[in-house]
Structure formats: structure tokens, C-alpha cells
Amino acid sequence: MSLIRRRKQNETSRPTRSDPSSIDKEDDNKKKIPAKDQNAEEIALKKLRKWSCIDSCCWLIGSICVTWWFLLFLYNAIPASFNQYVTEAITGPVPDPPGVKLKKEGLTVKHPVVFVPGIVTGGLELWEGHQCAEGLFRKRLWGGTFGEVYKRPLCWVEHMSLDNETGLDPSGIRVRPVSGLVAADYFAPGYFVWAVLIANLARIGYEEKTMYMAAYDWRISFQNTEVRDQTLSRIKSNIELMVATNGGNKAVIIPHSMGVLYFLHFMKWVEAPAPMGGGGGPDWCAKHIKTVMNIGGPFFGVPKAVGGLFSAEAKDIAVIRATAPGFLDNDIFRLQTLQHVMRMTRTWDSTMSMIPKGGDTIWGGLDWSPEEGYTPSKRKQRNNDTQVANEDDSEVVASQRKHVNFGRIISFGKDIAEAPSSQIDMIDFRGAVKGNSVANNTCRDVWTEYHEMGYEGIKAVAEYKAYTAESILDLLHFVAPKLMARGSAHFSYGIADNLDDPKYRHYKYWSNPLETTYEFLYSVSSVIVISLI
């Protein structure tokens, strides 16, 4: 009670604004403040009111955040059909997807479908790794976001590489293919592989029990996928199960790229006797496979694989090196990018399956090739036959003027690529003696098989000038003997003289159409597949 009384006394003793005497007293007090103090107060107030850089940054960040959340709110609030509505308003009605059209035509599920992905399109995940890969158990090292490539580049290279002697897992590392349809539906976010085809088949009525992704580790040789993972046995069992659970309807196989060669190997393996084969008997394919629809199959190999083996340079890397010469070769980040990529890719035996097959008979020699004299026409169809004939004649004449030696897969210089073989002074490299190592002396050096060639070996390779499909095999044996030793044990690159020879029963010939036969006659119908994409 005493405290309350004191407060009331203090309140009554304070002057109010309505009391004229109190106002006069305040004015008198202000008048008593010196002019210097008043100026100081005004300066301090101006400083407080002044706009600082920190205030500008805060407002900017706040505006960005508010705008971002507002746009995110609008994105979630807009109906899912809004994009289609805008598109139709601009371009007109959107046509139905292929799967919807086929469903309207009455197509339904009948034959189970098996997808066989190609090289690099299948996801790989980590099951066992070294200390640097802590926390990555069953996380994707290949496919998906590729985040670990940027976070731990050297660790990623170490775990994506295989043993250079065996072509299998290095000690303490296990990387395995992802299972299920998600293994190769998308290669990266927004970059589809099989996703559109799967979606259109689903519109007809297909689902996971009638579709199977034959995922495998695309890095290792075809026969080693069975040795290490029993992948070929899994494909055989799944096809048998799908046929049995779908009323005996045979399976339709859709391989892509290197998957075409892989499935050629499978068809020979499944009918070959054990232990080399699956023991399915000579009529297994005829009983379980309705048709095989190949997409972009490299039956005779591709020259692009040669450039990858020698330099580890794809087209995009070559463009970067042309626009910024020396950048990737510098050791700025202590990564030695190309050297690490080369070391890693040269442990992948699967790349050896796509080396050009058939030698000069298929690909041409120094002065001729199957493409010689052929120029594809790009003109539109016209009714005037005379004018069309004249244009064809002019195209032939133009092609004869510009002679291109497509048989020369590798040429050291533009002059060598265009000059007749009689004008090229070629020095054979096969008997050359490799010189001293050309490795640098830094502790960060990355070993590749180039180091064993030396200056003399590299000079001998360059002095041969031009290489065809046949001489490239000798060049690979000279440059990368360990890689070719493994590759020659699992793949072949020639043309069979006599298919009755017992040597052609070995699995190294199974993926080469020029050195094996297939009792099961399958049809190639890529048009049907493309219509569903």
C-alpha cells in the first residue's frame, strides 16, 4: 500500500502538458541548452537517419526472399493443367501421346517387355568403399545428380575405376548396378533415357510385372557380368518368370547402343552348355523371345570409341580445350583432369566391345571406303524428274572433286588425311623400342600407360601418320598393352573364315556378328520403338 501511495504522489507531483506553467518551464530549460549541444544533437539524429549499405543489403535480401516465396506460392497454387492450357492457347491443341493413341486403337498388354540399357546410361551405386566415401552407402556414383563428382572428385575417380589387371573390383571397393526401372529411366534430372517409353507403355496397361530393366555394370566385360554379379543368369530367370506369369506370351526385347551387343552375347550364352554358358538349350531363345527391336546398335563398332581410348576426349571436352587451350592440362586444382579420366576409362573393359570390327574389309583402307562417292541428298521431293536427275549428277561431281578418305580413322594432320597413300612416308611403329619415361617429377603425377612409351614410342606412333581399322588394333597393343590383353580375352574384331571351327564357340566371339551365328532369327523393328518415344 505504501508503494502505491508513493507512485500516486509522484504522479501528482509531475507537471502535466495541460499545465501552462510546466510548458514554460520546459521551454526555459531548452533555452538554457547551449547551441553547441543542440548542433551535436541534430548531427546525431542525422547520422541515425542516414541510409547505410547494410540497410540496402538487408532490403535487397528481404525483397528477393519475399519475391521467391511469392512465386513459389503461385507455382503451387496454379493448377497442374495451366501449362497445357497456355501451350494450347499459343500453338493449338496438343496431340495425344503415342500411348494414348495406341490405347484408343485398342492395344492392350500382351507380351512382356525387357529393356537392355547401353553404355553409361545405367545407374551405379556404392556398396563398399574406402574412408573418403564415408556416408555414400547405396548412393549413386553414376547417374542421378552426379553431386559426388564435384564434392569428392578424386574419391569418385578411385571408386569408379576397376582393377587394371583383372578388370574387376579393386580391393575394398564394391560398386553395383541399380536395380529396377529407375536404373535407366533418367540419366540425369531432365535427361530421359527410357522414361518416355516406359510412360507410354504404362498408358497401354503395362506395369512393373510386365516390364523389366536388365540393368548390368556397363564398365566390365560381358562375360564378367556373369562371373561377378550373375547378371546373365538373372536376365534368364526374369525372362522365364515373365513368360510363365503372362500366359506363355513370349518377351519382346528392346536393347539400346552397347546393350545390343550385350544381348547378342546373352543369346549365345543362354543356349551354350555350362559352365561357360547358361545351359538353356539350343531352342531357349525361340521359346522365350518373340522379337528383338534394336535401337542404335553398334554391330560393327564405332570409330568414336577409338578416340575415347587414346585421349579420353569426348566432343564436349575437345571443344573446351579448343576454346581454352591448356586449361584442362594445367595442374591448377591438383586434379590433372584428363589424366585421371584416362586412367579411369582405361580400366573399363566394356569400351573394348565397340572398337571397329571387320578391319579394312568393313571400314576401308587408306585410299578407299564404303562411303566413297556417296553424298546424301537433302533436297525436297520435286515433280520435275529432269531437274532431279541434273541435281543428282551435280552432287556426284561435287563429291568426286572433294575426295575424303573415310578409311583413315586416325590421321596425324589434315595434310595426311587428304593426301594419297603413295605420297605418305609411313614408318612402321610395331618394332619400335619404347624410350625413357615422360612422366613429370611432381608427387601429383597420375600414372597412365603412356608413361611406359617414352618419347621414342610416341615419336614412332606419330611417324606412322595414318591408321585404318586393322592398324588401330596394333596401335592399341603398342600404346595400352594391359587394356588390350584384357580386351582380346573377352572380345574379337575380325571376320570368320569358317564358322564351323570349334574356336568360335568361345565367349569372346559371341558379341561379334562377323564371327558367330545365331540360330534364333530375330527381327529388327526400330520403327515401332521410336513411335512410342
Side-chain angles (χ1 to χ4, degrees):
M1 295 294 291
S2 60
L3 291 173
I4 296 173
R5 290 174 182 174
R6 288 177 184 176
R7 289 178 180 174
K8 288 181 178 181
Q9 291 175 1
N10 293 333
E11 291 175 359
T12 55
S13 62
R14 291 177 184 173
T16 60
R17 298 297 296 177
S18 61
D19 187 1
S21 59
S22 64
I23 296 172
D24 294 337
K25 288 179 181 179
E26 288 181 3
D27 295 337
D28 293 337
N29 291 333
K30 287 182 180 180
K31 290 177 182 178
K32 291 178 182 179
I33 298 174
K36 292 182 179 180
D37 295 340
Q38 289 182 357
N39 293 335
E41 282 188 11
E42 291 177 359
I43 292 170
L45 289 172
K46 288 181 180 179
K47 288 183 177 179
L48 290 173
R49 294 171 183 171
K50 188 177 180 181
W51 193 264
S52 63
C53 293
I54 297 176
D55 296 328
S56 300
C57 293
C58 291
W59 273 98
L60 179 62
I61 294 172
S63 301
I64 293 174
C65 292
V66 171
T67 305
W68 169 256
W69 285 111
F70 179 71
L71 293 176
L72 186 63
F73 170 77
L74 289 180
Y75 177 78
N76 292 321
I78 292 174
S81 60
F82 180 76
N83 293 335
Q84 183 178 355
Y85 173 78
V86 174
T87 303
E88 291 180 356
I90 298 173
T91 63
V94 178
D96 292 331
V100 175
K101 292 180 180 179
L102 295 176
K103 185 177 181 180
K104 291 179 178 178
E105 294 175 5
L107 268 71
T108 57
V109 178
K110 183 176 181 181
H111 297 282
V113 176
V114 178
F115 307 105
V116 187
I119 191 171
V120 310
T121 56
L124 300 174
E125 60 187 14
L126 182 68
W127 281 82
E128 181 184 3
H130 294 162
Q131 184 66 31
C132 65
E134 187 69 28
L136 296 181
F137 175 70
R138 292 203 67 194
K139 297 294 180 61
R140 287 202 181 194
L141 295 185
W142 188 268
T145 60
F146 289 92
E148 300 308 320
V149 179
Y150 309 104
K151 295 178 183 177
R152 322 176 194 186
L154 294 180
C155 183
W156 177 81
V157 169
E158 179 183 3
H159 286 74
M160 283 295 295
S161 301
L162 296 171
D163 187 270
N164 201 39
E165 301 290 340
T166 63
L168 297 172
D169 292 325
S171 177
I173 293 178
R174 281 188 297 152
V175 176
R176 298 293 181 264
V178 178
S179 60
L181 296 177
V182 296
D185 54 353
Y186 285 92
F187 178 66
Y191 190 107
F192 72 86
V193 184
W194 295 96
V196 176
L197 180 56
I198 292 172
N200 280 285
L201 289 173
R203 291 186 176 99
I204 303 174
Y206 279 89
E207 50 188 292
E208 199 153 10
K209 67 180 182 180
T210 50
M211 290 188 290
Y212 169 61
M213 183 70 70
Y216 58 98
D217 191 339
W218 45 263
R219 301 173 301 163
I220 61 180
S221 65
F222 300 161
Q223 190 70 8
N224 276 342
T225 61
E226 174 65 17
V227 173
R228 195 194 71 178
D229 302 332
Q230 292 76 52
T231 304
L232 299 175
S233 296
R234 293 171 184 268
I235 296 174
K236 175 177 178 287
S237 300
N238 276 282
I239 292 177
E240 291 174 345
L241 177 63
M242 294 173 74
V243 171
T245 56
N246 282 275
N249 292 316
K250 300 177 184 179
V252 173
I253 316 298
I254 310 177
H256 169 245
S257 186
M258 193 184 75
V260 173
L261 302 179
Y262 186 70
F263 198 74
L264 288 180
H265 183 94
F266 169 80
M267 287 193 294
K268 293 296 292 186
W269 173 88
V270 73
E271 294 186 346
M276 185 183 296
D283 57 349
W284 189 94
C285 291
K287 289 181 178 179
H288 296 86
I289 299 176
K290 175 66 176 179
T291 186
V292 179
M293 301 185 292
N294 297 308
I295 305 176
F299 289 100
F300 299 151
V302 287
K304 183 180 179 181
V306 177
L309 287 171
F310 281 121
S311 62
E313 287 191 356
K315 182 179 179 181
D316 50 354
I317 298 178
V319 170
I320 293 174
R321 296 190 73 180
T323 55
F327 176 77
L328 290 177
D329 296 325
N330 291 333
D331 197 12
I332 299 175
F333 303 106
R334 300 186 179 184
L335 294 179
Q336 293 182 307
T337 309
L338 287 180
Q339 287 86 341
H340 279 292
V341 172
M342 187 183 301
R343 185 196 68 180
M344 176 180 66
T345 55
R346 286 198 177 181
T347 64
W348 297 348
D349 291 348
S350 61
T351 56
M352 302 296 293
S353 68
M354 294 192 294
I355 293 177
K357 303 176 180 67
D360 295 354
T361 304
I362 299 296
W363 295 91
L366 291 174
D367 295 318
W368 75 276
S369 66
E371 301 92 341
E372 187 175 0
Y374 174 74
T375 303
S377 177
K378 297 181 180 180
R379 55 177 169 71
K380 295 182 179 179
Q381 186 69 29
R382 299 180 182 179
N383 295 326
N384 193 335
D385 296 335
T386 305
Q387 185 175 1
V388 171
N390 293 334
E391 289 182 0
D392 290 342
D393 293 339
S394 62
E395 288 177 359
V396 172
V397 172
S399 65
Q400 290 176 352
R401 290 175 184 172
K402 186 179 180 182
H403 183 74
V404 181
N405 299 304
F406 290 107
R408 303 177 191 182
I409 296 178
I410 295 179
S411 299
F412 283 87
K414 185 177 180 181
D415 296 337
I416 301 299
E418 298 177 353
S421 60
S422 58
Q423 299 179 8
I424 302 176
D425 186 16
M426 303 173 67
I427 301 176
D428 198 351
F429 66 93
R430 295 174 180 86
V433 178
K434 298 182 180 180
N436 296 326
S437 175
V438 297
N440 60 44
N441 296 322
T442 64
C443 61
R444 299 185 299 272
D445 178 55
V446 179
W447 178 89
T448 64
E449 290 186 88
Y450 280 143
H451 293 68
E452 297 180 355
M453 292 180 60
Y455 290 108
E456 296 299 325
I458 296 175
K459 183 180 178 181
V461 169
E463 287 180 345
Y464 193 75
K465 304 294 193 307
Y467 294 85
T468 62
E470 288 185 1
S471 55
I472 278 176
L473 295 175
D474 296 329
L475 178 60
L476 280 169
H477 278 288
F478 184 78
V479 173
K482 291 184 178 180
L483 176 69
M484 281 303 294
R486 298 194 311 271
S488 300
H490 288 272
F491 303 104
S492 67
Y493 311 102
I495 301 177
D497 296 326
N498 180 16
L499 287 173
D500 295 330
D501 192 330
K503 75 173 185 178
Y504 291 113
R505 298 172 187 171
H506 193 271
Y507 59 78
K508 66 180 289 185
Y509 302 100
W510 290 349
S511 60
N512 183 1
L514 301 173
E515 293 187 300
T516 189
T517 57
Y518 297 93
E519 290 77 10
F520 170 67
L521 300 177
Y522 56 93
S523 62
V524 179
S525 180
S526 302
V527 178
I528 299 177
V529 180
I530 294 173
S531 67
L532 290 170
I533 297 177

